[in-house]
Amino acid sequence: MLDGRWLYVAAVPIALWIIPRRTTPGRRLIALVALAHVAILANVALFPIPVDPGLIAAGRAATAASARDGGLGLVPFATIGPVLAGEALPYVTRIAILNLFVLTPAGAYLPLLFRSLRSWPGLVVLTVVGGASVEAGQLAISSLLGFHYRTIDIDDVILNAIGIVIGWVVARRATGVDLAGISPSLGAPPYFTLIAPRIADWWNVHRNR
């Protein structure tokens, strides 16, 4: 198995490049936090990767023998619905909460580092691209391996995207930065609390169909 802890070593020279750059102390700190977050996220989300020929052959054989590919979930709310309805197993709920907040820091630091991401179009791009980034990386590696070494779920993309929006809103509220041409004094809409009851209602209606 290829371990991802080498990413921490690779991050050191990048950090040494960031530290002496001419910028404000706050921006430098945000950049270092972003670097640490990306290294930890990549290690947790993408690694370990099977590189042993025997493991790869076994994974491909298991995929070929399976009537359906259990490593790919393309049905929206198949995981989120039971969690919101209180019917999911505890570990499923914990994973859903982790997926909700794992990219929240990125939603906060990216618009602070890049002005183009402070607008509404920038938020849309950040949410779509960022929300799909982890699953896209897992899918790319799975394609190279010839089998799904990680479970790839559309619900993870949805939760990641919501987490990015939460981080974006928190950054605007906490820093007072006008991220989208809105007065920072205006209250941010509670996105997740608005949509969660609707998803739970949808699940209760459709779960037996």
Side-chain angles (χ1 to χ4, degrees):
M1 301 290 281
L2 177 61
D3 194 279
R5 286 178 289 184
W6 62 269
L7 291 167
Y8 303 143
V9 178
V12 172
I14 301 176
L16 295 176
W17 175 79
I18 292 173
I19 292 172
R21 290 185 64 82
R22 298 180 62 181
T23 185
T24 63
R27 186 177 178 84
R28 184 181 298 110
L29 177 61
I30 293 172
L32 291 172
V33 169
L35 175 62
H37 178 248
V38 170
I40 294 172
L41 176 63
N43 180 34
V44 173
L46 302 179
F47 293 87
I49 299 174
V51 293
D52 181 77
L55 291 176
I56 294 175
R60 292 174 178 174
T63 299
S66 176
R68 56 187 296 272
D69 193 350
L72 186 63
L74 299 178
V75 180
F77 307 125
T79 301
I80 297 174
V83 169
L84 294 177
E87 300 175 351
L89 295 173
Y91 83 92
V92 175
T93 300
R94 288 195 296 269
I95 293 175
I97 293 173
L98 175 62
N99 283 321
L100 176 62
F101 291 108
V102 70
L103 286 180
T104 298
Y109 60 67
L110 285 175
L112 295 176
L113 291 173
F114 303 101
R115 188 176 297 275
S116 60
L117 297 178
R118 299 177 187 178
S119 64
W120 285 116
L123 173 61
V124 172
V125 171
L126 177 60
T127 301
V128 173
V129 176
S133 60
V134 173
E135 303 301 302
Q138 293 175 348
L139 182 59
I141 296 172
S142 296
S143 298
L144 293 174
L145 294 173
F147 69 98
H148 291 118
Y149 81 112
R150 291 285 184 97
T151 300
I152 301 168
D153 194 337
I154 187 65
D155 278 1
D156 293 350
V157 175
I158 295 172
L159 291 170
N160 289 166
I162 294 173
I164 287 175
V165 174
I166 292 173
W168 191 88
V169 172
V170 168
R172 182 173 69 86
R173 293 293 301 274
T175 64
V177 173
D178 190 359
L179 294 184
I182 313 171
S183 170
S185 63
L186 294 177
Y191 295 98
F192 191 67
T193 57
L194 286 174
I195 67 172
R198 290 167 174 77
I199 296 175
D201 292 342
W202 179 91
W203 171 254
N204 287 328
V205 171
H206 292 83
R207 59 180 171 174
N208 295 321
R209 291 187 178 183

